[in-house]
Amino acid sequence: MASLVLLLVVVVTLYPFLHMLAVSLSSNANVIQNNISFWPKGFNLSMYKLVLGDPQIWTAYRNTIIYTVLGTLISLVVTSTGAYALSRKDMALRNSFTVLIVITMFFSGGMIPTFLVVRSLNLVDTVWGMVLPGAVSTWNLILMRTFFSGIPKELEESGRMDGLNDIGIFIRIVVPLSKASFATIALFYAVGMWNNFIFPLLYLRSPDLFPLQVLLRNLVLAGSASSGDVTSIGGDNMVVEESLKYATIMVSTLPILVIYPFVQKYFVKGAMVGAVKG
């Protein structure tokens, strides 16, 4: 029974993805007839040629990769160091800082105050405006703090006997023992940065800095791809727009999905944050 339920969940999860892929690879005639389920009919790459033929798409890909890599690294450094400090029971005002951080999960300054702060720091229309405002996720910080709290204190004591200070213990002992946690949290941050759509709309003004998500949105909603060729394919705007929308979703989704198999082995350990360790 459990296997059937899991199989049903897999089917329900994969079908929309396979359907979008099939529609984006099918000919206009088959899309018009609406007879495509999960297998493409009349194999056609015109939608992908249209999307990838726009020279701005590669600039957007470069920007997205820069934001994702840089933002993930900054987030990991800030989150891990903050989590390690909060995991130390001998830290002064540890509980008070924890309470103040947890409060931010339920209350925030709001969009306008955040924008005013970013503007006052001259981060608008810069790369830093994309990676610094959301550098720390409170939930991820709490997860890493819980993981670090489970590391045996005897290891830290042995490190101090060898002459290590707090920074040395963190770099030489805590980080090597927390690869699963780092990999899991890094994936959470990377996915969030890759799909980040609000920050570019708020903080970017130059089209040369737009990430992939903004460009694909403009391509679908404004029909800005390849000087208006969107309306000249197939003779039916609705059909072409539907196929184009699915093609752009695939283009923006597949790269980040490729990362999952490489970090999948860390999920089990990373998901057990806070569990009893034997």
Side-chain angles (χ1 to χ4, degrees), residues 22 27 30 61 73 87-88 106 116 184 201 204 234 246 258-259:
S27 63
N30 286 285
Y61 256 115
L73 291 176
S87 69
R88 300 296 305 274
F106 307 98
L116 294 177
T184 304
L201 292 180
L204 295 183
Y246 290 160
V258 174
I259 300 177

Side-chain angles (χ1 to χ4, degrees), residues 105-124:
M105 296 179 62
F106 307 98
F107 303 97
S108 64
M111 182 183 299
I112 295 178
T114 302
F115 174 80
L116 294 177
V117 171
V118 173
R119 188 180 64 176
S120 65
L121 296 175
N122 296 321
L123 298 179
V124 175

